[in-house]
Amino acid sequence: MQALQDRSDEELEREQKFKAAALAILGARAAERYDAQAARDYFRRAIAAARPQERMQLRRMADASLALAERRPDDLKAAVQRLGQAPPSGRQLFLLRLMGLLAPPPGSGFLVRARGIFIFIAAIILLIALGFAVVKLVALPFGGISTGGAILLGILVIAAALGILALVGRRRQRRARAAAAGDG
């Protein structure tokens, strides 16, 4: 299965000798793209192509992958533990819950999708208000600033803060990957 990881999706589709493993990899990749329907189809085909001894492990993999694709953090944690792996951290599960609120899975009802859009718009308004307040407070000792200017500068301050957070986050991820590669 490790040798198949580096292959493209097209090569995995054409795989004949290790068909079940190739389809399981395609299912996991579809789950990482949050495409639950494609992941379910790949895992169904993988289980059908697998030997009886492999089916239970493939079902467990499918449970974990589908829980990820359908944004079900509690089910994901239980499924990963059944696979014998370390469960996702609390922060990762929180982000999956948040993503389930902001971008619900396809096929969700209208109210669930509307809730995601409303939360997204409210977050943007809250960030603009935060930037506005910071600019107004900083400009107060210097004689103040107009409301329009404060809104514009507030947007720029928030954009700069988000950019810095993204840069710092990427550096931390890169350092963590390097440390993990050094340990493994």
Side-chain angles (χ1 to χ4, degrees):
M1 197 163 195
Q2 294 296 333
L4 296 174
Q5 291 285 350
D6 299 330
R7 294 190 184 174
S8 69
D9 289 354
E10 294 80 23
E11 291 173 331
L12 289 172
E13 281 282 352
R14 291 190 308 261
E15 177 64 41
Q16 292 299 317
K17 187 174 181 183
F18 301 107
K19 188 73 170 172
L23 290 170
I25 291 171
L26 286 170
R29 288 181 185 175
E32 288 171 0
R33 292 189 309 267
Y34 299 105
D35 187 357
Q37 184 176 0
R40 188 174 282 110
D41 182 54
Y42 281 126
F43 278 114
R44 182 187 51 75
R45 290 171 42 202
I47 290 169
R51 295 190 310 257
Q53 306 91 306
E54 300 170 337
R55 288 186 181 148
M56 183 57 76
Q57 187 68 10
L58 283 176
R59 279 192 188 98
R60 288 180 180 159
M61 279 181 62
D63 288 344
S65 294
L66 290 173
L68 173 66
E70 294 172 350
R71 299 166 186 93
R72 294 179 288 142
D74 297 329
D75 294 341
L76 175 64
K77 183 177 180 179
V80 169
Q81 286 175 335
R82 277 194 306 268
L83 277 171
Q85 298 177 358
S89 68
R91 182 177 293 163
Q92 290 169 327
L93 293 174
F94 171 74
L95 288 175
L96 188 60
R97 278 188 190 90
L98 186 64
M99 187 172 170
L101 288 174
L102 292 176
S108 297
F110 173 74
L111 291 176
V112 174
R113 288 181 294 181
R115 176 190 64 195
I117 293 169
F118 176 74
I119 291 172
F120 185 72
I121 291 171
I124 290 174
I125 291 172
L126 184 68
L127 285 174
I128 291 173
L130 179 68
F132 172 79
V134 166
V135 168
K136 277 290 208 183
L137 284 174
V138 168
L140 196 59
F142 303 108
I145 189 170
S146 69
T147 302
I151 290 174
L152 180 62
L153 284 175
I155 291 171
L156 291 176
V157 165
I158 293 300
L162 290 175
I164 290 169
L165 285 173
L167 180 67
V168 169
R170 292 225 174 180
R171 286 185 179 171
R172 287 182 65 193
Q173 282 181 339
R174 196 174 310 124
R175 234 181 288 127
R177 282 189 192 123
D183 291 339

